Amino acid sequence: MFCSLDEAIADFRAGQFLVLVDAAEREDEGDLIVAAEHVTGAKINRMLKDARGMLHLATTEDHLARLGIGLIEPHNADPNTPRFGLPFDAVAGVTTGVSAADRAASILRVLDPEAGPGDFVIPGHVLPLAARPEGLLGRQGHTEGSVELARWAGLFPAAVMSEVMAADGSMARGQQLVDFAREFGCRLIDVEQLHRAARRSET
């Protein structure tokens, strides 16, 4: 079920889901991810129903700053803690902001090149994450990996992600992630494989 980098990029470009698996010595967890450009209410609903973790929009710090979506100041966090942004909704085209369709609309508004700070309400229901400016060379996390995959696929550098939870509410790991991907109908790739590719591109 694990695929090559080229296969992962092709799947991402086509709007397919992937499970991005963390290193065993780090969190040893997996996130269900999809390129933000391809997000729909139906896809978000599947993620909420099947992966069951927190739903995030991963993108670049510069992009969030351009839209006036600030980062949350960390408190008692370690250097590997993801960089969370302020939760937001789109001003137009949504109702309460919490439905799968509303969250998809808010995410797609973020990708609109005409969008600006006046187009978003804070607080809202989309939880953003900012990738490190150095990408995978600075942090080998799901956030950086999913943003890099979108970039390599020629898409807007943003992805929608949700941690995969096991049936008992614990975090899915190892074979559980393989079984999840098989049942869900997608492939897996690990962050270390993306990290190696990023390092090669720098040399």
Side-chain angles (χ1 to χ4, degrees), residues 21 33 39 45 59 69-70 75 77 87 89 93 105-106 110 112 123 129 145-146 158 163 185 198:
V21 181
I33 63 173
V39 78
N45 193 47
T59 187
I69 300 171
H75 179 67
D89 291 333
S106 293
V110 164
D112 187 338
L129 293 171
S146 62
E163 301 94 340

Side-chain angles (χ1 to χ4, degrees), residues 130-152:
R132 304 275 175 179
E134 323 89 89
L136 286 162
L137 301 180
R139 179 177 179 271
Q140 288 84 63
H142 296 103
T143 304
E144 289 74 19
S146 62
V147 168
E148 208 60 57
L149 267 175
R151 200 190 312 275
W152 289 338

